[in-house]
Amino acid sequence: MQNLLHNLNPEQLAAVTLPAQSALILAGAGSGKTRVLTTRIAWLVQTGQISANGILAVTFTNKAAKEMLMRLSAMLPINTRGLWIGTFHGLCNRLLRAHHRDAGLPQTFQILDSADQLSFIKRLLKANNVDDEKYPPRTLMYFINGAKDSGLRASEVEAYDAIERKMVELYDLYDQQCQREGVVDFAELLLRSYELLSRNQPLREHYQARFKHILVDEFQDTNDLQYKWLKLLAGQHGAVFAVGDDDQSIYAFRGANVGNMSAFEREFRVQNLIKLEQNYRSHGHILDAANTLIANNSKRLGKNLRTDAGHGEPVRVYEATSDIQEAQWIVEEAKNLIREGSLRSEIAILYRSNAQSRVIEHSLFTSGIPYRVYGGQRYFERAEIKHAIAYLQLMDNPHNDSAFLRVVNFPARGIGARSLEQLQDAAKQYNLSLYAAVPYVAGKAGSSLSSFVKLIEGARFETQQLPLPEMVQIVLEVSSLIEHYQTEKEGADRIENLEQLVNAATLFVSEEGFGLDAPALAGPASQATPNVITIADGVEIIDADAALPAVMSPLSAFLSHASLEAGDNQAQAGQDALQLMTVHSAKGLEFDAVFISGLEEGLFPHENSAKEEGGAEEERRLMYVAITRARKRLYMSFSQTRMLHGQTRYNMRSRFFDELPEEAMKWLSPKTQPSWFASSKSAWDESPSTGANTIAQSFNKNAWRIGESVFHAKFGEGVIVNIEGSGANSRAHINFGRHGMKLLDLSIAKLDKIPG
DNA sequence: GCCCTACACCTTTTT
DNA sequence: GGTGTAGGGC
């Protein structure tokens, strides 16, 4: 016990040992929040207040869940595999598998990832002759997910115009088709388990009685449905231990609602609110920068981080002339750090959007520095893996039309658009899945389709007694996927990836405790071992064990895993490499040195954020997250020009520079924005849009030039992005940063030059 | 039925 | 700049 609690500071100790009531822990960045969460669980178990299976702990990312399990197994001498610790989606998946009948789902229901969902919607629109220009698939997807994230079914969504009415109608059709095919999207996992618990009283009461302690990580990221889900599961007596940081709420765009924190305080009658403000991560100047910046936000619960570490190094700021030069500067600085003894893996380069990684990668590649990019395409998202998975999906649930369409003619087996049209007609006529409709198609199309069905059924028969890895191996062969890629020029990598899938299956089966020889298709083990049956009001409840083998077959579990954990992109794993990632994916991580790049108006803060309510504050929180990733060294950079979407953009430096404390910063370049025409000619070379007339004008000392910084009485500082017309008729497009882009008549507008 | 080319659109972040 | 889709040619 003593060693469990020693080394905790007074606030952490108070949080860990709170009584069994709901509590809100406001945990600032680097204040030891994961430590508090895991120690709390260990303390509850060790003091005998609850057994390990009476605890439910929820996180948002698989990474966070794994981290928690790992730390916990170091503190407690128990098997952590059976613990209810996981992501919202992972836990809901388990619950729905265990109670699939009550939830109205087939045992082998499959999970659509975002890409699957989008193509599913495209197919739905086509099948119902809906104009996809009027109803863009992406818009419909956001509409459906938004409704589900608020806990609303189609029948409950209010529509205010004809477009919305149609979207509601499509939402309804979408749900019906998902049901027919036995597939669920991410939001559905939550909504369906919420409905399961709210409609089934004995089940609800059973789990309420079981989970007396619910712990939630990153509470600020919960959406309305997740909040309702927690409230339902906690019931009247459950104690919810919520840990969060309103300043790190960066997922409003996908439905997260920071308001849940104050709602929680009110509705759960929180008596215990503890703030963790002692930061153990960053040096003083870095923390000052973070505190000063975030103070510009109005809606805050109030919290200020402090540190015992000294000021440390100032935050270094660099202004580059181009994105290429910015990347070169970053690489040079990183080299210096490495020369001074830094580990490459302790240096992170952060950016706002994935597209920005390209230039930096190029620069790193040329310098021969190993690096690792997070995000981007992940293992289970690769086309060849998706194909192999689709064969496996059809063997587990043949009614998954998406899987059917993906591989019915891949590798090519002469089943073209015409055959599929006939099949789709038949499926519609008899209200069957494509797979089931195959016998109703006559002629040549019918026979090639039947041989595809025979292929799937043959594979299923051949592998029904085999363990998962062997099943995967056989599927790779009988599907002819390997053979197909052997004939393709660039196929070698793909074949290697496919063979990795067998290893992934082996690893998965052993990690989740299925046993290496358990038949892949065998149902859940709990049906054979009825010792988990509970009787409540005469109703039999098979209690869901947290361990996967108890609730699903190895194959179903593996397919869930592929959707829920897209898998790291395993590029250069294990090597000491520089870390490249978006600010979003850096949340929860920390590094000795951090570079925040592309700090320009329109990029960071992102221009799209201006349209969204509270968007500006969310961008500022994002910046706060970025700053607080750094332990010892922090670098910020921006560039005067940047290639984006194939054209050169001229951006102003980010407004965030005006919100940082002067004394913590060190500008490596003059702070006033110089006219870069004087210092760099490359801006001209890269900008074909500059007409001949403007080039001619540029030799006139008094004329305005593209790229020049100007000052306007009303709009403030701006940059000339383009000039049209000539002489007295010339007008300029000027980017005034937060005031937006303006088209001004140069002979009328009062503009001052800002000297370089 | 399949392959190739042209063009459109994109790009904020993710379970 | 890259990717996905549509349409035309074989």
Side-chain angles (χ1 to χ4, degrees):
Chain A
M1 179 72 52
Q2 210 51 44
N3 57 1
L4 196 65
L5 301 179
H6 88 279
N7 275 342
L8 293 178
N9 71 28
E11 292 84 24
Q12 291 174 332
L13 182 67
V16 165
T17 56
L18 280 174
Q21 299 163 349
S22 288
L24 180 60
I25 314 300
L26 286 179
S31 66
K33 123 193 114 80
T34 311
R35 183 153 185 224
V36 165
L37 268 170
T38 45
T39 317
R40 166 84 173 168
I41 296 175
W43 180 78
L44 285 170
V45 174
Q46 264 195 20
T47 51
Q49 299 185 55
I50 188 111
S51 76
N53 64 7
I55 285 172
L56 180 86
V58 207
T59 64
F60 277 85
T61 64
N62 295 300
K63 198 161 62 185
K66 274 194 197 120
E67 169 85 15
M68 225 154 129
L69 279 170
M70 206 178 69
R71 293 211 206 175
L72 207 53
S73 59
M75 291 186 205
L76 283 178
I78 54 166
N79 179 6
T80 51
R81 196 182 279 150
L83 285 175
W84 280 80
I85 294 180
T87 63
F88 275 103
H89 296 88
L91 295 176
C92 286
N93 182 37
R94 289 173 194 201
L95 206 58
L96 291 175
R97 297 284 172 185
H99 305 288
H100 69 271
R101 202 165 304 161
D102 292 323
L105 287 169
Q107 180 151 38
T108 57
F109 73 84
Q110 291 168 352
I111 302 166
L112 301 176
D113 66 25
S114 320
D116 298 336
Q117 189 188 14
L118 189 63
S119 52
F120 186 99
I121 287 174
K122 285 180 184 163
R123 188 154 54 80
L124 178 86
L125 293 179
K126 207 165 257 175
N128 289 283
N129 299 314
V130 178
D131 180 2
D132 61 3
E133 303 229 319
K134 203 167 170 192
Y135 301 93
R138 208 169 282 274
T139 308
L140 185 59
M141 181 163 94
Y142 292 145
F143 180 83
I144 292 173
N145 290 343
K148 289 191 181 186
D149 285 343
S150 321
L152 300 174
R153 288 289 173 198
S155 60
E156 301 163 303
V157 178
E158 285 187 53
Y160 294 100
D161 56 38
I163 297 272
E164 281 188 4
R165 267 192 294 281
K166 182 73 180 173
M167 298 236 268
V168 171
E169 189 188 315
L170 289 166
Y171 174 15
D172 199 30
L173 284 171
Y174 168 89
D175 266 358
Q176 287 175 31
Q177 194 176 325
C178 283
Q179 190 64 33
R180 267 202 300 279
E181 296 188 23
V183 296
V184 300
D185 57 52
F186 286 140
E188 183 72 21
L189 283 170
L190 272 138
L191 182 52
R192 194 62 80 101
S193 61
Y194 174 78
E195 288 171 348
L196 169 73
L197 292 174
S198 68
R199 288 172 191 169
N200 191 325
Q201 191 192 348
L203 203 63
R204 178 175 68 248
E205 287 175 352
H206 171 76
Y207 283 109
Q208 284 174 343
R210 173 178 177 171
F211 297 127
K212 293 208 177 62
H213 285 276
I214 299 175
L215 297 93
V216 192
D217 189 18
E218 307 275 17
F219 191 83
Q220 77 281 355
D221 288 337
T222 52
N223 65 32
D224 291 346
L225 179 56
Q226 287 158 342
Y227 181 80
K228 283 166 74 174
W229 189 88
L230 288 167
K231 205 173 163 187
L232 187 66
L233 209 51
Q236 284 302 305
H237 307 291
V240 177
F241 187 86
V243 181
D245 181 359
D246 54 318
D247 290 334
Q248 293 189 67
S249 159
I250 55 173
Y251 285 109
F253 70 92
R254 65 169 195 210
N257 179 4
V258 210
N260 284 345
M261 295 186 82
S262 38
F264 174 74
E265 214 183 324
R266 198 172 55 245
E267 297 181 3
F268 285 70
R269 291 178 299 280
V270 169
Q271 305 290 314
N272 304 296
L273 190 150
I274 292 179
K275 292 183 183 179
L276 305 180
E277 296 177 302
Q278 177 75 31
N279 175 290
Y280 296 99
R281 182 183 295 158
S282 311
H283 284 169
H285 279 321
I286 296 172
L287 218 49
D288 287 347
N291 280 333
T292 312
L293 177 99
I294 201 64
N296 287 284
N297 270 5
S298 57
K299 294 175 197 146
R300 296 182 65 211
L301 296 176
K303 187 170 45 49
N304 226 14
L305 291 175
R306 54 173 193 271
T307 178
D308 292 340
H311 282 310
E313 295 284 325
V315 179
R316 289 177 165 74
V317 182
Y318 182 75
E319 171 176 14
T321 52
S322 70
D323 49 353
I324 297 166
Q325 201 232 324
E326 179 192 30
Q328 286 165 347
W329 173 75
I330 292 173
V331 171
E332 283 310 310
E333 290 291 336
K335 272 189 190 163
N336 289 338
L337 290 171
I338 295 165
R339 204 173 301 129
E340 289 165 19
S342 278
L343 273 176
R344 287 190 283 267
S345 57
E346 277 302 336
I347 303 172
I349 304 174
L350 309 184
Y351 33 80
R352 176 65 235 267
S353 59
N354 278 310
Q356 288 166 251
S357 76
R358 176 175 310 282
V359 193
I360 301 167
E361 281 186 71
H362 180 79
S363 204
L364 285 167
F365 187 81
T366 334
S367 324
I369 301 177
Y371 63 92
R372 182 173 176 194
V373 189
Y374 287 78
Q377 216 191 22
R378 292 184 289 183
Y379 180 71
F380 284 108
E381 288 166 357
R382 291 166 201 265
E384 64 275 19
I385 300 303
K386 281 251 165 195
H387 284 124
I389 293 285
Y391 280 98
L392 294 167
Q393 283 177 322
L394 281 179
M395 290 163 68
D396 205 31
N397 167 21
H399 304 301
N400 182 339
D401 286 355
S402 306
F404 185 95
L405 288 169
R406 180 182 283 274
V407 291
V408 65
N409 197 36
F410 192 93
R413 40 177 82 86
I415 300 174
R418 287 290 288 279
S419 309
L420 288 177
E421 221 168 273
Q422 288 179 57
L423 180 62
Q424 270 155 340
D425 288 346
K428 200 165 187 181
Q429 190 182 341
Y430 300 104
N431 195 25
L432 293 170
S433 66
L434 296 174
Y435 191 92
V438 166
Y440 296 93
V441 179
K444 194 161 145 274
S447 69
S448 47
L449 283 165
S450 317
S451 49
F452 175 68
V453 166
K454 284 197 193 98
L455 172 87
I456 299 297
E457 272 163 17
R460 198 171 194 283
F461 179 76
E462 199 182 330
T463 58
Q464 58 185 338
Q465 294 303 324
L466 296 179
L468 184 68
E470 288 175 44
M471 173 192 253
V472 174
Q473 182 66 55
I474 287 175
V475 166
L476 293 182
E477 285 157 23
V478 299
S479 63
S480 313
L481 278 173
I482 300 245
E483 197 184 326
H484 172 262
Y485 286 119
Q486 273 164 351
T487 61
E488 208 175 62
K489 308 193 272 296
E490 317 263 322
D493 282 354
R494 294 183 187 269
I495 291 174
E496 203 173 300
N497 285 331
L498 284 172
E499 278 158 2
Q500 274 294 320
L501 195 59
V502 182
N503 299 337
T506 311
L507 191 69
F508 177 78
V509 163
S510 69
E511 275 189 353
E512 296 298 338
F514 279 100
L516 282 169
D517 49 356
L521 287 167
S526 66
Q527 288 182 340
T529 49
N531 57 341
V532 280
I533 287 181
T534 318
I535 307 287
D537 296 335
V539 184
E540 278 193 352
I541 295 170
I542 298 173
D543 191 292
D545 193 306
L548 296 184
V551 288
M552 51 189 138
S553 71
L555 179 58
S556 293
F558 186 59
L559 293 173
S560 297
H561 167 79
S563 301
L564 290 174
E565 297 188 47
D568 269 334
N569 50 351
Q570 307 152 325
Q572 311 108 15
Q575 204 185 359
D576 180 32
L578 239 78
Q579 312 283 303
L580 269 68
M581 66 192 84
T582 63
V583 181
H584 279 91
S585 45
K587 190 162 94 159
L589 305 177
E590 56 182 275
F591 308 91
D592 281 344
V594 169
F595 290 85
I596 308 174
S597 67
L599 278 164
E600 293 140 42
E601 282 295 305
L603 203 63
F604 197 178
H606 198 275
E607 52 202 354
N608 292 6
S609 71
K611 297 179 208 125
E612 282 147 36
E613 199 179 319
E617 298 216 342
E618 176 143 324
E619 293 290 309
R620 194 173 285 112
R621 290 192 294 269
L622 198 51
M623 181 65 182
Y624 176 79
V625 168
I627 295 172
T628 52
R629 295 313 94 196
R631 291 194 196 102
K632 300 174 188 157
R633 298 269 203 154
L634 180 60
Y635 299 83
M636 298 179 182
S637 60
F638 62 105
S639 168
Q640 294 161 351
T641 65
R642 183 175 297 277
M643 281 290 277
L644 211 64
H645 308 178
Q647 57 183 13
T648 310
R649 295 184 20 152
Y650 302 84
N651 293 322
M652 301 263 303
R653 67 161 185 258
S654 172
R655 70 188 67 178
F656 296 144
F657 286 112
D658 303 332
E659 303 176 359
L660 293 166
E662 294 269 352
E663 57 286 1
M665 321 294 289
K666 182 177 177 186
W667 285 72
L668 303 179
S669 41
K671 191 173 175 182
T672 45
Q673 204 164 27
S675 166
W676 54 82
F677 177 73
S679 59
S680 152
K681 214 170 173 314
S682 65
W684 284 98
D685 303 333
E686 289 166 21
S687 153
S689 63
T690 51
N693 56 340
T694 53
I695 290 177
Q697 278 169 31
S698 72
F699 294 105
N700 178 342
K701 200 164 138 247
N702 296 319
W704 299 102
R705 293 186 299 252
I706 290 179
E708 194 164 26
S709 297
V710 296
F711 186 84
H712 184 273
K714 191 166 159 209
F715 305 129
E717 229 177 291
V719 179
I720 299 182
V721 169
N722 201 4
I723 297 177
E724 49 186 51
S726 61
N729 299 322
S730 55
R731 294 184 299 172
H733 293 267
I734 305 177
N735 183 354
F736 284 104
R738 74 194 74 171
H739 290 110
M741 188 74 80
K742 309 283 175 198
L743 181 59
L744 300 181
D745 196 316
L746 284 174
S747 59
I748 298 170
K750 283 209 164 94
L751 293 171
D752 289 321
K753 284 184 195 245
I754 297 178

